[in-house]
Coordinates of all heavy atoms in Angstrom, one line a residue:
M1 N 81.1 -95.1 -16.6 CA 82.2 -96.0 -16.2 C 81.9 -97.4 -16.6 O 82.8 -98.2 -16.7 CB 82.4 -95.8 -14.7 CG 83.0 -94.5 -14.2 SD 84.7 -94.3 -14.8 CE 85.5 -95.6 -14.1
G2 N 80.7 -97.8 -16.7 CA 80.3 -99.2 -17.0 C 80.7 -99.6 -18.4 O 80.6 -100.8 -18.7
L3 N 81.0 -98.7 -19.3 CA 81.4 -99.1 -20.6 C 82.9 -99.0 -20.9 O 83.3 -99.2 -22.0 CB 80.7 -98.1 -21.6 CG 79.2 -98.1 -21.5 CD1 78.6 -97.0 -22.4 CD2 78.6 -99.4 -21.9
T4 N 83.7 -98.7 -19.8 CA 85.1 -98.6 -20.0 C 85.8 -100.0 -20.1 O 85.2 -101.0 -19.7 CB 85.7 -97.8 -18.8 OG1 85.5 -98.6 -17.6 CG2 85.1 -96.4 -18.7
P5 N 87.0 -100.0 -20.6 CA 87.8 -101.3 -20.6 C 87.9 -101.8 -19.2 O 87.9 -103.0 -19.0 CB 89.1 -100.9 -21.2 CG 88.8 -99.7 -22.1 CD 87.7 -99.0 -21.4
F6 N 88.1 -100.9 -18.2 CA 88.2 -101.4 -16.8 C 87.0 -102.2 -16.4 O 87.1 -103.2 -15.8 CB 88.4 -100.2 -15.9 CG 88.4 -100.5 -14.4 CD1 89.4 -101.2 -13.8 CD2 87.2 -100.2 -13.7 CE1 89.4 -101.5 -12.5 CE2 87.2 -100.5 -12.3 CZ 88.2 -101.2 -11.7
A7 N 85.8 -101.6 -16.7 CA 84.6 -102.3 -16.3 C 84.4 -103.7 -17.0 O 84.0 -104.6 -16.4 CB 83.4 -101.4 -16.7
A8 N 84.8 -103.7 -18.3 CA 84.8 -105.0 -19.0 C 85.7 -106.0 -18.4 O 85.4 -107.2 -18.2 CB 85.2 -104.8 -20.5
Q9 N 86.9 -105.6 -17.9 CA 87.8 -106.5 -17.3 C 87.3 -106.9 -15.9 O 87.4 -108.1 -15.6 CB 89.2 -105.7 -17.1 CG 90.2 -106.6 -16.4 CD 91.5 -105.8 -16.1 OE1 91.6 -104.6 -16.4 NE2 92.5 -106.5 -15.7
E10 N 86.7 -106.0 -15.2 CA 86.1 -106.4 -13.9 C 85.0 -107.4 -14.1 O 84.8 -108.4 -13.3 CB 85.6 -105.2 -13.2 CG 86.7 -104.3 -12.6 CD 87.4 -104.9 -11.5 OE1 86.8 -105.3 -10.5 OE2 88.7 -105.1 -11.6
K11 N 84.2 -107.2 -15.1 CA 83.1 -108.1 -15.4 C 83.6 -109.5 -15.7 O 83.0 -110.5 -15.3 CB 82.2 -107.6 -16.5 CG 81.0 -108.4 -16.8 CD 80.1 -107.8 -17.9 CE 78.9 -108.6 -18.2 NZ 78.0 -108.0 -19.2
A12 N 84.7 -109.6 -16.4 CA 85.3 -110.9 -16.8 C 86.0 -111.5 -15.7 O 85.9 -112.8 -15.5 CB 86.3 -110.7 -18.0
L13 N 86.6 -110.8 -14.8 CA 87.4 -111.3 -13.7 C 86.5 -111.8 -12.5 O 86.8 -112.8 -11.9 CB 88.4 -110.3 -13.2 CG 89.6 -110.1 -14.0 CD1 90.4 -109.0 -13.5 CD2 90.4 -111.3 -14.2
Y14 N 85.4 -111.1 -12.3 CA 84.5 -111.4 -11.1 C 83.1 -111.7 -11.6 O 82.4 -110.8 -12.0 CB 84.5 -110.2 -10.2 CG 85.9 -109.8 -9.7 CD1 86.6 -108.7 -10.3 CD2 86.5 -110.5 -8.7 CE1 87.9 -108.4 -9.9 CE2 87.8 -110.1 -8.3 CZ 88.5 -109.1 -8.9 OH 89.7 -108.7 -8.4
T15 N 82.8 -113.0 -11.6 CA 81.5 -113.4 -12.1 C 80.4 -113.5 -11.0 O 79.3 -113.8 -11.3 CB 81.7 -114.8 -12.7 OG1 82.2 -115.7 -11.8 CG2 82.6 -114.7 -13.9
D16 N 80.8 -113.1 -9.8 CA 79.8 -113.1 -8.7 C 78.7 -112.1 -8.9 O 77.5 -112.3 -8.5 CB 80.4 -112.9 -7.3 CG 81.2 -111.6 -7.2 OD1 81.6 -111.1 -8.3 OD2 81.4 -111.2 -6.1
T17 N 79.0 -110.9 -9.5 CA 78.1 -109.9 -9.8 C 78.6 -109.1 -11.1 O 79.7 -109.2 -11.4 CB 77.9 -108.9 -8.6 OG1 76.9 -108.0 -8.9 CG2 79.2 -108.2 -8.3
D18 N 77.6 -108.5 -11.8 CA 78.0 -107.7 -13.0 C 78.5 -106.4 -12.5 O 77.8 -105.4 -12.3 CB 76.8 -107.6 -13.9 CG 77.1 -107.0 -15.2 OD1 78.2 -106.5 -15.4 OD2 76.2 -107.0 -16.1
R19 N 79.8 -106.3 -12.4 CA 80.5 -105.0 -11.9 C 80.3 -103.9 -13.0 O 80.3 -102.7 -12.6 CB 81.9 -105.3 -11.6 CG 82.0 -106.2 -10.4 CD 83.4 -106.3 -9.9 NE 83.5 -107.2 -8.7 CZ 84.5 -107.2 -7.8 NH1 85.5 -106.4 -8.1 NH2 84.4 -107.9 -6.8
A20 N 80.3 -104.2 -14.2 CA 80.1 -103.2 -15.2 C 78.7 -102.5 -15.1 O 78.6 -101.3 -15.1 CB 80.2 -103.8 -16.6
A21 N 77.7 -103.3 -14.8 CA 76.4 -102.8 -14.6 C 76.3 -102.0 -13.3 O 75.7 -100.9 -13.2 CB 75.3 -103.9 -14.5
L22 N 77.0 -102.4 -12.3 CA 77.1 -101.7 -11.0 C 77.8 -100.3 -11.2 O 77.3 -99.3 -10.7 CB 77.9 -102.5 -10.0 CG 78.2 -101.8 -8.7 CD1 76.9 -101.4 -7.9 CD2 79.1 -102.6 -7.8
L23 N 78.9 -100.3 -12.0 CA 79.5 -99.0 -12.3 C 78.6 -98.1 -13.0 O 78.6 -96.9 -12.8 CB 80.8 -99.3 -13.0 CG 82.0 -99.8 -12.2 CD1 83.1 -100.3 -13.1 CD2 82.5 -98.8 -11.2
T24 N 77.8 -98.6 -13.9 CA 76.9 -97.8 -14.7 C 75.8 -97.2 -13.8 O 75.5 -96.0 -13.8 CB 76.2 -98.7 -15.8 OG1 77.2 -99.1 -16.7 CG2 75.1 -97.9 -16.5
R25 N 75.3 -98.0 -12.9 CA 74.3 -97.5 -11.9 C 74.9 -96.5 -11.0 O 74.2 -95.5 -10.7 CB 73.7 -98.7 -11.1 CG 72.8 -99.6 -11.9 CD 72.0 -100.6 -11.1 NE 72.8 -101.3 -10.1 CZ 73.3 -102.5 -10.4 NH1 73.2 -103.1 -11.6 NH2 74.0 -103.1 -9.5
L26 N 76.1 -96.7 -10.5 CA 76.7 -95.7 -9.6 C 77.0 -94.4 -10.3 O 76.8 -93.3 -9.8 CB 78.0 -96.3 -9.0 CG 77.8 -97.4 -8.0 CD1 79.2 -98.1 -7.7 CD2 77.2 -96.9 -6.8
T27 N 77.5 -94.5 -11.6 CA 77.7 -93.3 -12.3 C 76.5 -92.5 -12.6 O 76.4 -91.3 -12.5 CB 78.4 -93.7 -13.7 OG1 79.6 -94.4 -13.4 CG2 78.8 -92.5 -14.5
R28 N 75.4 -93.2 -13.0 CA 74.1 -92.6 -13.3 C 73.6 -91.9 -12.0 O 73.1 -90.7 -12.1 CB 73.1 -93.6 -13.8 CG 71.8 -92.9 -14.3 CD 71.0 -93.8 -15.0 NE 71.6 -94.1 -16.3 CZ 71.7 -95.3 -16.8 NH1 71.3 -96.4 -16.2 NH2 72.3 -95.5 -18.0
A29 N 73.7 -92.5 -10.9 CA 73.2 -92.0 -9.6 C 74.0 -90.7 -9.3 O 73.5 -89.7 -8.8 CB 73.2 -93.0 -8.5
F30 N 75.3 -90.8 -9.4 CA 76.2 -89.6 -9.2 C 75.8 -88.5 -10.0 O 75.7 -87.3 -9.6 CB 77.7 -90.0 -9.3 CG 78.6 -88.9 -9.2 CD1 79.0 -88.4 -7.9 CD2 79.1 -88.2 -10.3 CE1 79.8 -87.3 -7.8 CE2 79.9 -87.1 -10.2 CZ 80.3 -86.7 -8.9
N31 N 75.7 -88.7 -11.3 CA 75.4 -87.7 -12.3 C 74.0 -87.0 -12.0 O 73.9 -85.8 -12.1 CB 75.4 -88.2 -13.7 CG 76.8 -88.4 -14.2 OD1 77.8 -87.9 -13.6 ND2 77.0 -89.3 -15.2
E32 N 73.0 -87.8 -11.6 CA 71.7 -87.3 -11.3 C 71.8 -86.4 -10.1 O 71.2 -85.3 -10.1 CB 70.7 -88.4 -11.1 CG 70.3 -89.1 -12.3 CD 69.5 -90.4 -12.1 OE1 69.2 -90.7 -10.9 OE2 69.1 -91.0 -13.1
Q33 N 72.5 -86.8 -9.1 CA 72.6 -86.0 -7.9 C 73.5 -84.7 -8.1 O 73.3 -83.7 -7.5 CB 73.2 -86.8 -6.7 CG 72.3 -87.8 -6.1 CD 71.0 -87.1 -5.6 OE1 71.1 -86.1 -4.8 NE2 69.9 -87.6 -6.1
L34 N 74.5 -84.8 -9.0 CA 75.3 -83.6 -9.3 C 74.4 -82.5 -9.9 O 74.5 -81.4 -9.6 CB 76.4 -84.0 -10.3 CG 77.3 -82.9 -10.8 CD1 78.2 -82.5 -9.6 CD2 78.2 -83.4 -11.9
G35 N 73.5 -82.9 -10.8 CA 72.6 -81.9 -11.3 C 71.6 -81.3 -10.3 O 71.1 -80.2 -10.5
V36 N 71.4 -82.0 -9.2 CA 70.4 -81.5 -8.2 C 71.1 -80.7 -7.2 O 70.6 -79.7 -6.7 CB 69.7 -82.7 -7.6 CG1 68.9 -82.3 -6.4 CG2 68.8 -83.5 -8.6
K37 N 72.3 -81.2 -6.8 CA 73.0 -80.6 -5.6 C 73.9 -79.4 -6.0 O 74.3 -78.6 -5.1 CB 73.9 -81.6 -4.9 CG 73.1 -82.8 -4.5 CD 72.4 -82.6 -3.2 CE 71.7 -83.9 -2.7 NZ 71.1 -83.8 -1.5
V38 N 74.4 -79.3 -7.2 CA 75.4 -78.3 -7.6 C 74.7 -77.2 -8.5 O 74.0 -77.6 -9.4 CB 76.6 -79.0 -8.3 CG1 77.6 -77.9 -8.8 CG2 77.3 -80.0 -7.4
L39 N 75.0 -76.0 -8.2 CA 74.5 -74.9 -9.0 C 75.3 -74.9 -10.3 O 76.5 -74.6 -10.4 CB 74.7 -73.6 -8.3 CG 74.3 -72.3 -9.0 CD1 72.8 -72.4 -9.3 CD2 74.7 -71.1 -8.2
L40 N 74.6 -75.2 -11.4 CA 75.2 -75.3 -12.7 C 74.9 -74.1 -13.5 O 74.2 -74.1 -14.5 CB 74.7 -76.6 -13.4 CG 75.0 -77.9 -12.7 CD1 74.3 -79.0 -13.4 CD2 76.5 -78.1 -12.6
D41 N 75.5 -73.0 -13.1 CA 75.3 -71.7 -13.9 C 76.5 -71.3 -14.8 O 76.4 -70.3 -15.4 CB 74.9 -70.6 -12.9 CG 76.0 -70.2 -12.0 OD1 77.1 -70.9 -12.0 OD2 75.9 -69.3 -11.2
G42 N 77.5 -72.2 -14.8 CA 78.6 -71.9 -15.7 C 79.7 -71.0 -15.1 O 80.8 -70.8 -15.6
R43 N 79.5 -70.4 -13.9 CA 80.5 -69.6 -13.3 C 81.6 -70.4 -12.5 O 82.7 -70.0 -12.6 CB 79.8 -68.6 -12.3 CG 78.9 -67.6 -13.0 CD 78.4 -66.5 -12.1 NE 77.6 -67.2 -11.1 CZ 77.2 -66.6 -10.0 NH1 77.6 -65.4 -9.7 NH2 76.4 -67.2 -9.1
Y44 N 81.2 -71.4 -11.8 CA 82.1 -72.1 -11.0 C 82.4 -73.6 -11.5 O 83.4 -74.1 -11.2 CB 81.6 -72.2 -9.5 CG 81.4 -70.8 -8.9 CD1 80.2 -70.4 -8.7 CD2 82.5 -70.0 -8.7 CE1 80.0 -69.1 -8.1 CE2 82.3 -68.7 -8.2 CZ 81.0 -68.3 -7.9 OH 80.9 -67.0 -7.4
V45 N 81.4 -74.1 -12.2 CA 81.5 -75.5 -12.6 C 81.2 -75.6 -14.1 O 80.2 -75.0 -14.5 CB 80.4 -76.4 -11.8 CG1 80.5 -77.8 -12.3 CG2 80.7 -76.3 -10.3
G46 N 82.0 -76.3 -14.8 CA 81.8 -76.6 -16.2 C 81.4 -78.0 -16.3 O 82.2 -78.9 -16.1
L47 N 80.1 -78.3 -16.6 CA 79.6 -79.7 -16.7 C 79.8 -80.2 -18.1 O 79.3 -79.6 -19.1 CB 78.2 -79.7 -16.3 CG 77.5 -81.1 -16.3 CD1 78.2 -82.0 -15.3 CD2 76.0 -80.9 -16.0
V48 N 80.4 -81.3 -18.3 CA 80.5 -82.0 -19.5 C 79.8 -83.3 -19.5 O 80.1 -84.2 -18.7 CB 82.0 -82.3 -19.9 CG1 82.1 -83.0 -21.2 CG2 82.8 -81.0 -19.9
Q49 N 78.7 -83.4 -20.2 CA 77.9 -84.7 -20.2 C 78.4 -85.5 -21.4 O 77.8 -85.5 -22.5 CB 76.5 -84.3 -20.3 CG 76.0 -83.6 -19.1 CD 74.5 -83.2 -19.2 OE1 74.1 -82.8 -20.3 NE2 73.8 -83.2 -18.1
A50 N 79.4 -86.4 -21.1 CA 80.0 -87.2 -22.1 C 79.3 -88.6 -22.2 O 79.7 -89.4 -23.0 CB 81.5 -87.3 -21.9
E51 N 78.4 -88.9 -21.2 CA 77.8 -90.2 -21.2 C 77.2 -90.6 -22.5 O 77.4 -91.8 -22.9 CB 76.8 -90.3 -20.0 CG 76.2 -91.7 -19.9 CD 75.0 -91.7 -18.9 OE1 74.7 -90.7 -18.3 OE2 74.5 -92.8 -18.7
L52 N 76.5 -89.7 -23.1 CA 75.8 -90.1 -24.3 C 76.8 -90.4 -25.5 O 76.6 -91.3 -26.3 CB 74.8 -89.0 -24.8 CG 73.7 -88.7 -23.8 CD1 72.9 -87.5 -24.3 CD2 72.8 -89.9 -23.7
Q53 N 77.9 -89.6 -25.5 CA 78.9 -89.9 -26.5 C 79.6 -91.2 -26.3 O 79.8 -92.0 -27.2 CB 79.9 -88.8 -26.5 CG 79.4 -87.4 -26.9 CD 80.4 -86.3 -26.8 OE1 81.4 -86.5 -26.1 NE2 80.1 -85.2 -27.4
F54 N 79.9 -91.6 -25.0 CA 80.5 -92.8 -24.8 C 79.6 -94.0 -25.0 O 80.0 -95.0 -25.5 CB 81.0 -92.9 -23.3 CG 82.3 -92.1 -23.1 CD1 82.2 -91.1 -22.2 CD2 83.4 -92.4 -23.8 CE1 83.4 -90.3 -22.0 CE2 84.6 -91.6 -23.6 CZ 84.5 -90.6 -22.7
R55 N 78.3 -93.8 -24.7 CA 77.3 -94.8 -25.0 C 77.2 -95.1 -26.5 O 77.1 -96.2 -27.0 CB 76.0 -94.4 -24.4 CG 75.0 -95.6 -24.3 CD 73.7 -95.2 -23.8 NE 73.8 -94.6 -22.5 CZ 72.8 -94.0 -21.8 NH1 71.6 -93.9 -22.4 NH2 73.0 -93.5 -20.6
A56 N 77.2 -94.0 -27.3 CA 77.1 -94.1 -28.8 C 78.3 -94.8 -29.3 O 78.2 -95.6 -30.2 CB 76.9 -92.7 -29.4
L57 N 79.5 -94.5 -28.8 CA 80.7 -95.1 -29.3 C 80.7 -96.6 -28.9 O 81.2 -97.4 -29.7 CB 82.0 -94.5 -28.6 CG 82.4 -93.1 -29.2 CD1 83.5 -92.5 -28.4 CD2 82.9 -93.3 -30.6
N58 N 80.2 -96.9 -27.8 CA 80.1 -98.4 -27.4 C 79.1 -99.1 -28.3 O 79.4 -100.2 -28.7 CB 79.7 -98.5 -25.9 CG 79.9 -99.9 -25.5 OD1 80.9 -100.6 -25.7 ND2 78.8 -100.4 -24.8
Q59 N 78.0 -98.5 -28.6 CA 77.0 -99.1 -29.4 C 77.3 -99.2 -30.8 O 77.0 -100.2 -31.5 CB 75.6 -98.3 -29.2 CG 74.4 -99.1 -29.7 CD 73.2 -98.3 -29.3 OE1 73.2 -97.2 -28.9 NE2 72.0 -99.0 -29.4
F60 N 78.0 -98.1 -31.4 CA 78.3 -98.0 -32.8 C 79.8 -97.7 -32.9 O 80.2 -96.5 -33.2 CB 77.5 -97.0 -33.5 CG 76.0 -97.2 -33.4 CD1 75.3 -96.3 -32.5 CD2 75.4 -98.2 -34.0 CE1 73.9 -96.5 -32.4 CE2 74.0 -98.4 -33.9 CZ 73.3 -97.5 -33.0
P61 N 80.7 -98.7 -32.7 CA 82.1 -98.3 -32.7 C 82.6 -97.9 -34.1 O 82.0 -98.3 -35.1 CB 82.8 -99.7 -32.3 CG 81.8 -100.7 -32.5 CD 80.4 -100.0 -32.4
P62 N 83.6 -97.0 -34.1 CA 84.1 -96.6 -35.4 C 84.7 -97.7 -36.2 O 85.3 -98.6 -35.7 CB 85.2 -95.6 -35.1 CG 85.2 -95.4 -33.6 CD 84.3 -96.4 -33.0
T63 N 84.5 -97.7 -37.5 CA 84.9 -98.8 -38.4 C 86.3 -98.6 -39.0 O 87.0 -99.5 -39.4 CB 83.9 -99.0 -39.5 OG1 83.8 -97.8 -40.3 CG2 82.6 -99.5 -39.0
S64 N 86.8 -97.3 -39.0 CA 88.1 -97.0 -39.5 C 88.8 -96.0 -38.7 O 88.2 -95.2 -38.0 CB 88.0 -96.5 -41.0 OG 87.3 -95.3 -41.0
A65 N 90.1 -96.1 -38.7 CA 90.9 -95.1 -38.0 C 91.0 -93.8 -38.7 O 90.8 -93.7 -39.9 CB 92.4 -95.6 -37.8
W66 N 91.3 -92.7 -38.0 CA 91.3 -91.4 -38.6 C 92.5 -91.3 -39.5 O 93.2 -91.1 -40.1 CB 91.4 -90.3 -37.6 CG 90.1 -90.2 -36.8 CD1 89.5 -91.2 -36.2 CD2 89.3 -89.1 -36.6 NE1 88.3 -90.8 -35.6 CE2 88.2 -89.5 -35.9 CE3 89.4 -87.8 -37.0 CZ2 87.2 -88.6 -35.5 CZ3 88.4 -86.9 -36.7 CH2 87.3 -87.3 -35.9

């Protein structure tokens, strides 16, 4: 969540604290606990770990449209 346009807007609007970094920390903590608390055997929950993809897109944005 900390890499989303919403987070960038929050960071720009509120300079008292880095809200984008806060969203990143909250998301990471949630994801870590999800892996501990939920049985991830594929029968009831389908886990999609998109954080790495979003991080890569943020770090290396596409240079051309499809």
Side-chain angles (χ1 to χ4, degrees):
M1 287 296 299
L3 300 175
T4 62
F6 172 76
Q9 180 182 8
E10 288 293 301
K11 183 177 180 177
L13 289 175
Y14 303 99
T15 58
D16 58 337
T17 184
D18 187 350
R19 292 185 177 200
L22 173 63
L23 286 169
T24 296
R25 290 192 306 272
L26 290 171
T27 302
R28 186 169 291 132
F30 175 81
N31 288 339
E32 288 172 359
Q33 287 302 307
L34 181 66
V36 173
K37 304 278 183 178
V38 176
L39 177 61
L40 299 174
D41 64 359
R43 293 187 296 166
Y44 302 109
V45 176
L47 179 63
V48 177
Q49 294 177 324
E51 179 186 2
L52 295 176
Q53 293 175 345
F54 287 120
R55 196 181 303 170
L57 282 172
N58 188 49
Q59 193 172 14
F60 306 106
T63 57
S64 63
W66 291 55

